[in-house]
Amino acid sequence: MFALITDIYNALQHWQKALLFSFVSYAMLLFGIIVAITFILKDFNFLVVTGLTFIYMSTLFVGILVARKMFKKRLIEE
Amino acid sequence: MGGINIYKRIYLLFATPLIPVVLAAYYLGGPAAGALLAVVGVILGVAVYRMSPKVLLRWYGARKMSRETYTFIYPYLAKISSDLDVPMPQPYVFDSAAPITFTVGNNNRYYLLVSTASLDMLDKDELKSIITLEVTKVSKGSVGANTVVALLAGSIASLSTVALWMAMLTGFGQEDDPAPRTISFLAMGMVSLPSALLVHIFTIDSTVEADRMAAGMMAEPCLLAEALERTGTYIKLHVTGGFNPGHAHLFSVNPLKTNTIFDVYSSMFLTKPDIRQRVMYLENIKKVNP
């Protein structure tokens, strides 16, 4: 399994790796937002967190796909 | 975006964030709030556009080039600007270990920034060829849009440095320790995407046209190829980063490198053709027009 992940990672170009790390960074921001919301509401509200996660991750996914399309078209690869 | 002219591009750059903010203000505070925010946004946009060259001059700590020290630069700039029928860029010099040269400006006021390393490394003819290249960029009309995008994209990209400093000041360790570097890496992941998108959507890359035009204007087109090759090789071998990726589209040679995983985000900002391709292209021009 790890070998497969390593192979896929190594097959990626630099800009694709950058896009992947950007995706991870934004996903980590969502974790911070969920923690903040839980502190503000003083309780873990499953419905609110699920709804927020769905909207946030959908927007992020669409954003990353748009960025990927744009980079593929305009980026000069090394 | 290739077909959109420069002014439409700049309007679009400022209108894209302004429209949702104005609509939100209209929804929350009524027509007066919406109109007020639209006026404030337009004034801010005009101010940022007009001030962007001066801010970038300050960013690089550039100072006016002395006529006495660099005697040939002023007359050569005046001649080449007059040949191309463009306003003469004011030459500035800034301290940098990398041989980079670029032009900023708008509204018929342009500034040519030459690093101290360029002045030290390149000989007189090579420097002239690089100056010709920069003035041809002014004649192509791409400098205004590229300057304001450099200011905005550069400001966004430098937020990762703020994150690094905050991590260091809050006791996560020194600059090379794993924790601040990881925080900076994650922050760069967040800021480099919008910054790179700004660069790709709103800048105008006139590198190939400018190379061709500058080579055509030189008595010896191979000088430009030599200057670009020397600059590119020097940066590749001796320069160890320290560039704001949001400014890379301004430079005559791309200084960004991806040596380690921490530099991986630089790869999102590559808008210029590879230096070998540019040199090869210029050498082919020489063969066609010997």
Side-chain angles (χ1 to χ4, degrees), chain A residues 9 14-15 17-19 21-22 24-26 28-29 63-64 67 70-71 73-78, chain B residues 9 185-186 189-190 192-194 196-197 200-201 203 258 261 264-265 267-274:
Chain A
Y9 178 79
H14 284 312
W15 68 270
K17 285 178 191 168
L19 216 51
F21 290 129
S22 276
V24 174
S25 301
Y26 277 107
M28 286 178 82
L29 183 68
I64 293 284
M70 185 149 291
F71 287 148
K73 194 175 161 192
R74 289 208 48 165
L75 205 68
I76 309 284
E77 285 166 20
E78 285 166 294
Chain B
R9 220 176 261 245
F185 182 74
L186 291 174
M190 280 184 239
S192 61
L193 187 59
L197 283 176
H200 284 282
I201 295 171
T203 59
T258 314
I261 194 73
V264 77
Y265 297 114
S267 60
M268 288 206 273
F269 292 85
L270 299 177
T271 54
K272 287 185 189 301
D274 187 69

mmCIF file of all heavy atoms in Angstrom, chain A residues 9 14-15 17-19 21-22 24-26 28-29 63-64 67 70-71 73-78, chain B residues 9 185-186 189-190 192-194 196-197 200-201 203 258 261 264-265 267-274:
data_model
loop_
_atom_site.group_PDB
_atom_site.id
_atom_site.type_symbol
_atom_site.label_atom_id
_atom_site.label_comp_id
_atom_site.label_asym_id
_atom_site.label_seq_id
_atom_site.Cartn_x
_atom_site.Cartn_y
_atom_site.Cartn_z
ATOM 1 N N TYR A 9 2.915 9.316 -5.667
ATOM 2 C CA TYR A 9 3.501 10.609 -5.272
ATOM 3 C C TYR A 9 4.691 10.966 -6.174
ATOM 4 O O TYR A 9 4.806 12.092 -6.646
ATOM 5 C CB TYR A 9 3.935 10.549 -3.802
ATOM 6 C CG TYR A 9 4.594 11.820 -3.329
ATOM 7 C CD1 TYR A 9 3.829 12.929 -2.983
ATOM 8 C CD2 TYR A 9 5.982 11.915 -3.257
ATOM 9 C CE1 TYR A 9 4.432 14.105 -2.580
ATOM 10 C CE2 TYR A 9 6.594 13.084 -2.844
ATOM 11 C CZ TYR A 9 5.813 14.176 -2.495
ATOM 12 O OH TYR A 9 6.421 15.344 -2.103
ATOM 13 N N HIS A 14 5.969 18.658 -9.953
ATOM 14 C CA HIS A 14 6.104 19.551 -8.798
ATOM 15 C C HIS A 14 4.832 20.360 -8.534
ATOM 16 O O HIS A 14 4.399 20.497 -7.395
ATOM 17 C CB HIS A 14 7.281 20.507 -9.007
ATOM 18 C CG HIS A 14 8.610 19.855 -8.797
ATOM 19 N ND1 HIS A 14 8.882 19.084 -7.705
ATOM 20 C CD2 HIS A 14 9.728 19.850 -9.547
ATOM 21 C CE1 HIS A 14 10.127 18.629 -7.783
ATOM 22 N NE2 HIS A 14 10.655 19.078 -8.908
ATOM 23 N N TRP A 15 4.237 20.913 -9.602
ATOM 24 C CA TRP A 15 3.058 21.764 -9.384
ATOM 25 C C TRP A 15 1.876 20.945 -8.878
ATOM 26 O O TRP A 15 1.040 21.444 -8.123
ATOM 27 C CB TRP A 15 2.693 22.552 -10.657
ATOM 28 C CG TRP A 15 2.188 21.733 -11.807
ATOM 29 C CD1 TRP A 15 2.923 21.177 -12.791
ATOM 30 C CD2 TRP A 15 0.829 21.386 -12.085
ATOM 31 N NE1 TRP A 15 2.114 20.504 -13.673
ATOM 32 C CE2 TRP A 15 0.824 20.619 -13.270
ATOM 33 C CE3 TRP A 15 -0.386 21.648 -11.462
ATOM 34 C CZ2 TRP A 15 -0.338 20.113 -13.832
ATOM 35 C CZ3 TRP A 15 -1.547 21.148 -12.022
ATOM 36 C CH2 TRP A 15 -1.516 20.392 -13.194
ATOM 37 N N LYS A 17 2.202 18.314 -6.903
ATOM 38 C CA LYS A 17 2.493 18.101 -5.474
ATOM 39 C C LYS A 17 2.111 19.351 -4.688
ATOM 40 O O LYS A 17 1.537 19.270 -3.600
ATOM 41 C CB LYS A 17 3.985 17.817 -5.274
ATOM 42 C CG LYS A 17 4.401 16.432 -5.691
ATOM 43 C CD LYS A 17 5.895 16.246 -5.521
ATOM 44 C CE LYS A 17 6.344 14.962 -6.185
ATOM 45 N NZ LYS A 17 7.789 14.854 -6.306
ATOM 46 N N ALA A 18 2.443 20.533 -5.257
ATOM 47 C CA ALA A 18 2.125 21.797 -4.584
ATOM 48 C C ALA A 18 0.614 21.929 -4.390
ATOM 49 O O ALA A 18 0.141 22.335 -3.320
ATOM 50 C CB ALA A 18 2.665 22.965 -5.401
ATOM 51 N N LEU A 19 -0.120 21.544 -5.419
ATOM 52 C CA LEU A 19 -1.583 21.614 -5.347
ATOM 53 C C LEU A 19 -2.115 20.645 -4.281
ATOM 54 O O LEU A 19 -3.042 20.981 -3.533
ATOM 55 C CB LEU A 19 -2.153 21.268 -6.726
ATOM 56 C CG LEU A 19 -3.400 21.995 -7.187
ATOM 57 C CD1 LEU A 19 -3.256 23.496 -7.058
ATOM 58 C CD2 LEU A 19 -3.716 21.636 -8.629
ATOM 59 N N PHE A 21 -0.464 19.614 -1.577
ATOM 60 C CA PHE A 21 -0.148 20.167 -0.246
ATOM 61 C C PHE A 21 -1.055 21.356 0.083
ATOM 62 O O PHE A 21 -1.398 21.563 1.248
ATOM 63 C CB PHE A 21 1.330 20.566 -0.167
ATOM 64 C CG PHE A 21 2.263 19.393 -0.153
ATOM 65 C CD1 PHE A 21 3.339 19.321 -1.021
ATOM 66 C CD2 PHE A 21 2.065 18.339 0.726
ATOM 67 C CE1 PHE A 21 4.191 18.229 -1.030
ATOM 68 C CE2 PHE A 21 2.910 17.241 0.728
ATOM 69 C CZ PHE A 21 3.974 17.188 -0.155
ATOM 70 N N SER A 22 -1.432 22.125 -0.937
ATOM 71 C CA SER A 22 -2.369 23.227 -0.715
ATOM 72 C C SER A 22 -3.712 22.682 -0.230
ATOM 73 O O SER A 22 -4.315 23.218 0.694
ATOM 74 C CB SER A 22 -2.603 24.011 -2.010
ATOM 75 O OG SER A 22 -1.615 24.949 -2.178
ATOM 76 N N VAL A 24 -4.227 19.894 1.343
ATOM 77 C CA VAL A 24 -4.051 19.416 2.731
ATOM 78 C C VAL A 24 -4.048 20.609 3.704
ATOM 79 O O VAL A 24 -4.674 20.555 4.762
ATOM 80 C CB VAL A 24 -2.752 18.581 2.854
ATOM 81 C CG1 VAL A 24 -2.462 18.207 4.303
ATOM 82 C CG2 VAL A 24 -2.837 17.329 2.001
ATOM 83 N N SER A 25 -3.361 21.698 3.311
ATOM 84 C CA SER A 25 -3.288 22.886 4.181
ATOM 85 C C SER A 25 -4.679 23.462 4.435
ATOM 86 O O SER A 25 -5.030 23.792 5.571
ATOM 87 C CB SER A 25 -2.430 23.974 3.549
ATOM 88 O OG SER A 25 -1.153 23.506 3.311
ATOM 89 N N TYR A 26 -5.469 23.565 3.350
ATOM 90 C CA TYR A 26 -6.827 24.105 3.511
ATOM 91 C C TYR A 26 -7.701 23.148 4.326
ATOM 92 O O TYR A 26 -8.553 23.582 5.098
ATOM 93 C CB TYR A 26 -7.454 24.382 2.149
ATOM 94 C CG TYR A 26 -7.029 25.716 1.573
ATOM 95 C CD1 TYR A 26 -6.138 25.784 0.521
ATOM 96 C CD2 TYR A 26 -7.520 26.911 2.099
ATOM 97 C CE1 TYR A 26 -5.735 27.002 -0.006
ATOM 98 C CE2 TYR A 26 -7.124 28.124 1.581
ATOM 99 C CZ TYR A 26 -6.230 28.169 0.536
ATOM 100 O OH TYR A 26 -5.835 29.381 0.032
ATOM 101 N N MET A 28 -6.632 21.298 6.722
ATOM 102 C CA MET A 28 -6.226 21.475 8.122
ATOM 103 C C MET A 28 -6.860 22.730 8.718
ATOM 104 O O MET A 28 -7.160 22.778 9.908
ATOM 105 C CB MET A 28 -4.708 21.522 8.241
ATOM 106 C CG MET A 28 -4.111 20.136 8.067
ATOM 107 S SD MET A 28 -2.346 20.123 8.124
ATOM 108 C CE MET A 28 -2.059 20.135 9.863
ATOM 109 N N LEU A 29 -7.081 23.726 7.863
ATOM 110 C CA LEU A 29 -7.751 24.945 8.323
ATOM 111 C C LEU A 29 -9.181 24.617 8.761
ATOM 112 O O LEU A 29 -9.678 25.167 9.749
ATOM 113 C CB LEU A 29 -7.752 25.989 7.198
ATOM 114 C CG LEU A 29 -8.355 27.348 7.524
ATOM 115 C CD1 LEU A 29 -7.495 28.093 8.537
ATOM 116 C CD2 LEU A 29 -8.479 28.201 6.255
ATOM 117 N N GLY A 63 -12.532 24.442 -6.249
ATOM 118 C CA GLY A 63 -11.441 25.417 -6.392
ATOM 119 C C GLY A 63 -10.157 24.765 -6.872
ATOM 120 O O GLY A 63 -9.482 25.273 -7.778
ATOM 121 N N ILE A 64 -9.833 23.613 -6.276
ATOM 122 C CA ILE A 64 -8.599 22.901 -6.652
ATOM 123 C C ILE A 64 -8.699 22.393 -8.096
ATOM 124 O O ILE A 64 -7.733 22.474 -8.857
ATOM 125 C CB ILE A 64 -8.323 21.730 -5.659
ATOM 126 C CG1 ILE A 64 -7.989 22.267 -4.264
ATOM 127 C CG2 ILE A 64 -7.231 20.797 -6.178
ATOM 128 C CD1 ILE A 64 -6.608 22.839 -4.059
ATOM 129 N N ALA A 67 -8.181 25.344 -10.345
ATOM 130 C CA ALA A 67 -6.752 25.705 -10.328
ATOM 131 C C ALA A 67 -5.952 24.706 -11.155
ATOM 132 O O ALA A 67 -5.068 25.082 -11.932
ATOM 133 C CB ALA A 67 -6.237 25.734 -8.894
ATOM 134 N N MET A 70 -6.413 25.401 -14.775
ATOM 135 C CA MET A 70 -5.707 26.629 -15.169
ATOM 136 C C MET A 70 -4.192 26.392 -15.253
ATOM 137 O O MET A 70 -3.545 26.813 -16.198
ATOM 138 C CB MET A 70 -6.009 27.718 -14.158
ATOM 139 C CG MET A 70 -5.436 29.041 -14.551
ATOM 140 S SD MET A 70 -6.438 30.345 -13.955
ATOM 141 C CE MET A 70 -7.874 30.165 -14.949
ATOM 142 N N PHE A 71 -3.649 25.686 -14.254
ATOM 143 C CA PHE A 71 -2.207 25.425 -14.247
ATOM 144 C C PHE A 71 -1.812 24.544 -15.436
ATOM 145 O O PHE A 71 -0.785 24.735 -16.051
ATOM 146 C CB PHE A 71 -1.778 24.752 -12.947
ATOM 147 C CG PHE A 71 -1.786 25.681 -11.756
ATOM 148 C CD1 PHE A 71 -2.067 25.212 -10.487
ATOM 149 C CD2 PHE A 71 -1.514 27.029 -11.900
ATOM 150 C CE1 PHE A 71 -2.079 26.054 -9.390
ATOM 151 C CE2 PHE A 71 -1.526 27.882 -10.816
ATOM 152 C CZ PHE A 71 -1.803 27.400 -9.557
ATOM 153 N N LYS A 73 -3.122 24.475 -18.239
ATOM 154 C CA LYS A 73 -3.186 25.259 -19.472
ATOM 155 C C LYS A 73 -2.043 26.274 -19.547
ATOM 156 O O LYS A 73 -1.448 26.477 -20.596
ATOM 157 C CB LYS A 73 -4.530 25.997 -19.495
ATOM 158 C CG LYS A 73 -4.893 26.588 -20.827
ATOM 159 C CD LYS A 73 -6.291 27.175 -20.736
ATOM 160 C CE LYS A 73 -6.526 28.161 -21.867
ATOM 161 N NZ LYS A 73 -7.736 28.941 -21.650
ATOM 162 N N ARG A 74 -1.732 26.912 -18.427
ATOM 163 C CA ARG A 74 -0.830 28.068 -18.475
ATOM 164 C C ARG A 74 0.559 27.844 -17.898
ATOM 165 O O ARG A 74 1.467 28.621 -18.165
ATOM 166 C CB ARG A 74 -1.484 29.252 -17.726
ATOM 167 C CG ARG A 74 -2.649 29.827 -18.476
ATOM 168 C CD ARG A 74 -2.858 31.270 -18.166
ATOM 169 N NE ARG A 74 -1.642 32.062 -18.224
ATOM 170 C CZ ARG A 74 -1.634 33.377 -18.275
ATOM 171 N NH1 ARG A 74 -2.751 34.032 -18.289
ATOM 172 N NH2 ARG A 74 -0.515 34.053 -18.302
ATOM 173 N N LEU A 75 0.695 26.815 -17.074
ATOM 174 C CA LEU A 75 1.968 26.659 -16.370
ATOM 175 C C LEU A 75 3.074 26.144 -17.286
ATOM 176 O O LEU A 75 2.835 25.276 -18.110
ATOM 177 C CB LEU A 75 1.790 25.680 -15.207
ATOM 178 C CG LEU A 75 2.754 25.806 -14.056
ATOM 179 C CD1 LEU A 75 2.527 27.101 -13.297
ATOM 180 C CD2 LEU A 75 2.567 24.646 -13.094
ATOM 181 N N ILE A 76 4.262 26.729 -17.123
ATOM 182 C CA ILE A 76 5.425 26.231 -17.849
ATOM 183 C C ILE A 76 6.067 25.202 -16.932
ATOM 184 O O ILE A 76 6.507 25.535 -15.841
ATOM 185 C CB ILE A 76 6.432 27.372 -18.130
ATOM 186 C CG1 ILE A 76 5.745 28.568 -18.784
ATOM 187 C CG2 ILE A 76 7.627 26.875 -18.906
ATOM 188 C CD1 ILE A 76 5.400 28.452 -20.221
ATOM 189 N N GLU A 77 6.100 23.960 -17.358
ATOM 190 C CA GLU A 77 6.641 22.915 -16.481
ATOM 191 C C GLU A 77 8.154 22.884 -16.550
ATOM 192 O O GLU A 77 8.740 23.198 -17.578
ATOM 193 C CB GLU A 77 6.053 21.561 -16.867
ATOM 194 C CG GLU A 77 4.610 21.446 -16.389
ATOM 195 C CD GLU A 77 3.872 20.293 -17.021
ATOM 196 O OE1 GLU A 77 4.525 19.375 -17.521
ATOM 197 O OE2 GLU A 77 2.634 20.321 -17.010
ATOM 198 N N GLU A 78 8.739 22.481 -15.406
ATOM 199 C CA GLU A 78 10.214 22.433 -15.335
ATOM 200 C C GLU A 78 10.751 21.274 -16.166
ATOM 201 O O GLU A 78 10.103 20.263 -16.293
ATOM 202 C CB GLU A 78 10.638 22.251 -13.882
ATOM 203 C CG GLU A 78 10.480 23.513 -13.091
ATOM 204 C CD GLU A 78 10.574 23.237 -11.609
ATOM 205 O OE1 GLU A 78 9.695 22.560 -11.087
ATOM 206 O OE2 GLU A 78 11.512 23.705 -10.990
ATOM 207 N N ARG B 9 -8.276 43.778 -18.120
ATOM 208 C CA ARG B 9 -7.653 42.851 -17.163
ATOM 209 C C ARG B 9 -7.506 43.516 -15.793
ATOM 210 O O ARG B 9 -7.790 42.915 -14.754
ATOM 211 C CB ARG B 9 -6.272 42.463 -17.689
ATOM 212 C CG ARG B 9 -5.894 41.041 -17.512
ATOM 213 C CD ARG B 9 -4.574 40.824 -18.176
ATOM 214 N NE ARG B 9 -4.737 40.246 -19.481
ATOM 215 C CZ ARG B 9 -4.311 39.037 -19.810
ATOM 216 N NH1 ARG B 9 -3.696 38.305 -18.917
ATOM 217 N NH2 ARG B 9 -4.476 38.554 -21.017
ATOM 218 N N PHE B 185 5.317 26.137 5.915
ATOM 219 C CA PHE B 185 4.965 25.300 4.759
ATOM 220 C C PHE B 185 3.443 25.229 4.581
ATOM 221 O O PHE B 185 2.924 25.380 3.476
ATOM 222 C CB PHE B 185 5.555 23.901 4.971
ATOM 223 C CG PHE B 185 5.316 22.954 3.835
ATOM 224 C CD1 PHE B 185 6.021 23.090 2.646
ATOM 225 C CD2 PHE B 185 4.402 21.926 3.934
ATOM 226 C CE1 PHE B 185 5.805 22.217 1.587
ATOM 227 C CE2 PHE B 185 4.188 21.054 2.894
ATOM 228 C CZ PHE B 185 4.888 21.193 1.717
ATOM 229 N N LEU B 186 2.738 25.028 5.705
ATOM 230 C CA LEU B 186 1.280 24.949 5.633
ATOM 231 C C LEU B 186 0.681 26.311 5.260
ATOM 232 O O LEU B 186 -0.263 26.390 4.466
ATOM 233 C CB LEU B 186 0.698 24.470 6.975
ATOM 234 C CG LEU B 186 1.005 23.015 7.331
ATOM 235 C CD1 LEU B 186 0.514 22.691 8.735
ATOM 236 C CD2 LEU B 186 0.364 22.058 6.328
ATOM 237 N N GLY B 189 1.105 26.842 1.718
ATOM 238 C CA GLY B 189 0.107 26.045 0.992
ATOM 239 C C GLY B 189 -1.190 26.800 0.824
ATOM 240 O O GLY B 189 -1.862 26.701 -0.204
ATOM 241 N N MET B 190 -1.529 27.591 1.852
ATOM 242 C CA MET B 190 -2.781 28.352 1.784
ATOM 243 C C MET B 190 -2.632 29.611 0.938
ATOM 244 O O MET B 190 -3.530 29.960 0.194
ATOM 245 C CB MET B 190 -3.229 28.719 3.191
ATOM 246 C CG MET B 190 -3.928 27.579 3.890
ATOM 247 S SD MET B 190 -4.502 28.106 5.462
ATOM 248 C CE MET B 190 -3.676 26.995 6.524
ATOM 249 N N SER B 192 -0.132 30.388 -1.353
ATOM 250 C CA SER B 192 0.461 30.324 -2.702
ATOM 251 C C SER B 192 -0.576 30.042 -3.779
ATOM 252 O O SER B 192 -0.407 30.477 -4.916
ATOM 253 C CB SER B 192 1.585 29.295 -2.759
ATOM 254 O OG SER B 192 1.084 28.042 -2.452
ATOM 255 N N LEU B 193 -1.658 29.345 -3.418
ATOM 256 C CA LEU B 193 -2.666 29.025 -4.437
ATOM 257 C C LEU B 193 -3.364 30.293 -4.960
ATOM 258 O O LEU B 193 -3.359 30.537 -6.173
ATOM 259 C CB LEU B 193 -3.662 28.004 -3.882
ATOM 260 C CG LEU B 193 -4.669 27.452 -4.876
ATOM 261 C CD1 LEU B 193 -3.989 26.761 -6.038
ATOM 262 C CD2 LEU B 193 -5.629 26.492 -4.203
ATOM 263 N N PRO B 194 -3.953 31.139 -4.075
ATOM 264 C CA PRO B 194 -4.553 32.378 -4.614
ATOM 265 C C PRO B 194 -3.538 33.297 -5.277
ATOM 266 O O PRO B 194 -3.836 33.931 -6.290
ATOM 267 C CB PRO B 194 -5.180 33.049 -3.383
ATOM 268 C CG PRO B 194 -4.627 32.370 -2.206
ATOM 269 C CD PRO B 194 -4.196 31.014 -2.626
ATOM 270 N N ALA B 196 -0.716 32.393 -6.846
ATOM 271 C CA ALA B 196 -0.360 31.848 -8.170
ATOM 272 C C ALA B 196 -1.497 32.035 -9.165
ATOM 273 O O ALA B 196 -1.263 32.338 -10.333
ATOM 274 C CB ALA B 196 -0.012 30.368 -8.042
ATOM 275 N N LEU B 197 -2.734 31.883 -8.682
ATOM 276 C CA LEU B 197 -3.872 32.077 -9.588
ATOM 277 C C LEU B 197 -3.936 33.521 -10.072
ATOM 278 O O LEU B 197 -4.212 33.776 -11.237
ATOM 279 C CB LEU B 197 -5.185 31.685 -8.893
ATOM 280 C CG LEU B 197 -5.437 30.176 -8.781
ATOM 281 C CD1 LEU B 197 -6.700 29.902 -7.995
ATOM 282 C CD2 LEU B 197 -5.544 29.530 -10.157
ATOM 283 N N HIS B 200 -1.358 33.855 -12.760
ATOM 284 C CA HIS B 200 -1.706 33.184 -14.015
ATOM 285 C C HIS B 200 -2.880 33.846 -14.730
ATOM 286 O O HIS B 200 -2.937 33.850 -15.950
ATOM 287 C CB HIS B 200 -2.004 31.710 -13.760
ATOM 288 C CG HIS B 200 -0.758 30.928 -13.549
ATOM 289 N ND1 HIS B 200 0.056 30.543 -14.581
ATOM 290 C CD2 HIS B 200 -0.152 30.502 -12.423
ATOM 291 C CE1 HIS B 200 1.096 29.891 -14.105
ATOM 292 N NE2 HIS B 200 0.996 29.863 -12.792
ATOM 293 N N ILE B 201 -3.823 34.384 -13.963
ATOM 294 C CA ILE B 201 -5.017 34.953 -14.613
ATOM 295 C C ILE B 201 -4.749 36.365 -15.119
ATOM 296 O O ILE B 201 -5.148 36.725 -16.216
ATOM 297 C CB ILE B 201 -6.225 34.941 -13.640
ATOM 298 C CG1 ILE B 201 -6.615 33.498 -13.298
ATOM 299 C CG2 ILE B 201 -7.426 35.657 -14.253
ATOM 300 C CD1 ILE B 201 -7.644 33.363 -12.199
ATOM 301 N N THR B 203 -1.621 38.324 -15.241
ATOM 302 C CA THR B 203 -0.381 38.866 -15.814
ATOM 303 C C THR B 203 -0.328 38.610 -17.323
ATOM 304 O O THR B 203 -1.036 37.743 -17.839
ATOM 305 C CB THR B 203 0.882 38.253 -15.179
ATOM 306 O OG1 THR B 203 0.852 36.843 -15.388
ATOM 307 C CG2 THR B 203 0.990 38.569 -13.725
ATOM 308 N N THR B 258 13.066 24.516 -7.452
ATOM 309 C CA THR B 258 12.409 23.556 -6.556
ATOM 310 C C THR B 258 13.441 22.522 -6.145
ATOM 311 O O THR B 258 13.510 21.444 -6.729
ATOM 312 C CB THR B 258 11.212 22.902 -7.268
ATOM 313 O OG1 THR B 258 10.466 23.917 -7.922
ATOM 314 C CG2 THR B 258 10.300 22.187 -6.292
ATOM 315 N N ILE B 261 11.477 19.905 -0.733
ATOM 316 C CA ILE B 261 10.015 19.857 -0.616
ATOM 317 C C ILE B 261 9.462 21.214 -0.141
ATOM 318 O O ILE B 261 8.340 21.596 -0.488
ATOM 319 C CB ILE B 261 9.587 18.692 0.320
ATOM 320 C CG1 ILE B 261 8.087 18.406 0.202
ATOM 321 C CG2 ILE B 261 9.940 18.939 1.754
ATOM 322 C CD1 ILE B 261 7.677 17.719 -1.058
ATOM 323 N N VAL B 264 8.464 23.527 -2.991
ATOM 324 C CA VAL B 264 7.588 22.946 -4.023
ATOM 325 C C VAL B 264 6.550 23.951 -4.551
ATOM 326 O O VAL B 264 6.162 23.900 -5.719
ATOM 327 C CB VAL B 264 6.930 21.648 -3.486
ATOM 328 C CG1 VAL B 264 5.795 21.931 -2.535
ATOM 329 C CG2 VAL B 264 6.476 20.768 -4.618
ATOM 330 N N TYR B 265 6.167 24.905 -3.707
ATOM 331 C CA TYR B 265 5.134 25.860 -4.141
ATOM 332 C C TYR B 265 5.642 26.814 -5.228
ATOM 333 O O TYR B 265 4.834 27.392 -5.944
ATOM 334 C CB TYR B 265 4.605 26.663 -2.948
ATOM 335 C CG TYR B 265 3.927 25.801 -1.922
ATOM 336 C CD1 TYR B 265 4.457 25.642 -0.648
ATOM 337 C CD2 TYR B 265 2.761 25.115 -2.227
ATOM 338 C CE1 TYR B 265 3.841 24.829 0.286
ATOM 339 C CE2 TYR B 265 2.146 24.297 -1.303
ATOM 340 C CZ TYR B 265 2.692 24.159 -0.050
ATOM 341 O OH TYR B 265 2.089 23.355 0.867
ATOM 342 N N SER B 267 6.881 26.032 -7.879
ATOM 343 C CA SER B 267 6.553 25.474 -9.195
ATOM 344 C C SER B 267 5.195 25.969 -9.709
ATOM 345 O O SER B 267 4.906 25.828 -10.887
ATOM 346 C CB SER B 267 6.561 23.951 -9.123
ATOM 347 O OG SER B 267 5.612 23.539 -8.184
ATOM 348 N N MET B 268 4.374 26.528 -8.821
ATOM 349 C CA MET B 268 3.074 27.039 -9.271
ATOM 350 C C MET B 268 3.189 28.415 -9.927
ATOM 351 O O MET B 268 2.226 28.936 -10.463
ATOM 352 C CB MET B 268 2.110 27.133 -8.080
ATOM 353 C CG MET B 268 1.621 25.806 -7.584
ATOM 354 S SD MET B 268 0.040 25.915 -6.773
ATOM 355 C CE MET B 268 0.504 26.285 -5.110
ATOM 356 N N PHE B 269 4.384 29.022 -9.844
ATOM 357 C CA PHE B 269 4.537 30.396 -10.324
ATOM 358 C C PHE B 269 5.350 30.485 -11.618
ATOM 359 O O PHE B 269 5.771 31.565 -11.995
ATOM 360 C CB PHE B 269 5.222 31.258 -9.251
ATOM 361 C CG PHE B 269 4.376 31.476 -8.034
ATOM 362 C CD1 PHE B 269 4.347 30.552 -7.017
ATOM 363 C CD2 PHE B 269 3.592 32.608 -7.915
ATOM 364 C CE1 PHE B 269 3.563 30.736 -5.893
ATOM 365 C CE2 PHE B 269 2.809 32.817 -6.792
ATOM 366 C CZ PHE B 269 2.791 31.875 -5.777
ATOM 367 N N LEU B 270 5.603 29.347 -12.243
ATOM 368 C CA LEU B 270 6.451 29.383 -13.442
ATOM 369 C C LEU B 270 5.639 29.840 -14.650
ATOM 370 O O LEU B 270 4.779 29.113 -15.134
ATOM 371 C CB LEU B 270 7.061 28.008 -13.701
ATOM 372 C CG LEU B 270 7.968 27.470 -12.590
ATOM 373 C CD1 LEU B 270 8.441 26.071 -12.933
ATOM 374 C CD2 LEU B 270 9.159 28.381 -12.379
ATOM 375 N N THR B 271 5.908 31.039 -15.103
ATOM 376 C CA THR B 271 5.164 31.562 -16.253
ATOM 377 C C THR B 271 6.080 31.804 -17.453
ATOM 378 O O THR B 271 5.595 32.089 -18.531
ATOM 379 C CB THR B 271 4.471 32.883 -15.900
ATOM 380 O OG1 THR B 271 5.452 33.775 -15.391
ATOM 381 C CG2 THR B 271 3.368 32.717 -14.889
ATOM 382 N N LYS B 272 7.374 31.738 -17.225
ATOM 383 C CA LYS B 272 8.304 32.038 -18.317
ATOM 384 C C LYS B 272 8.838 30.762 -18.947
ATOM 385 O O LYS B 272 9.044 29.776 -18.241
ATOM 386 C CB LYS B 272 9.494 32.843 -17.780
ATOM 387 C CG LYS B 272 9.121 34.257 -17.464
ATOM 388 C CD LYS B 272 10.332 35.033 -17.054
ATOM 389 C CE LYS B 272 9.912 36.371 -16.528
ATOM 390 N NZ LYS B 272 9.172 37.174 -17.488
ATOM 391 N N PRO B 273 9.102 30.784 -20.258
ATOM 392 C CA PRO B 273 9.718 29.608 -20.879
ATOM 393 C C PRO B 273 11.095 29.334 -20.273
ATOM 394 O O PRO B 273 11.730 30.251 -19.746
ATOM 395 C CB PRO B 273 9.861 30.021 -22.349
ATOM 396 C CG PRO B 273 9.002 31.212 -22.522
ATOM 397 C CD PRO B 273 8.849 31.860 -21.198
ATOM 398 N N ASP B 274 11.508 28.085 -20.351
ATOM 399 C CA ASP B 274 12.808 27.689 -19.818
ATOM 400 C C ASP B 274 13.920 28.489 -20.496
ATOM 401 O O ASP B 274 13.837 28.795 -21.694
ATOM 402 C CB ASP B 274 13.000 26.189 -20.093
ATOM 403 C CG ASP B 274 14.241 25.662 -19.425
ATOM 404 O OD1 ASP B 274 14.241 25.589 -18.202
ATOM 405 O OD2 ASP B 274 15.223 25.360 -20.143
#
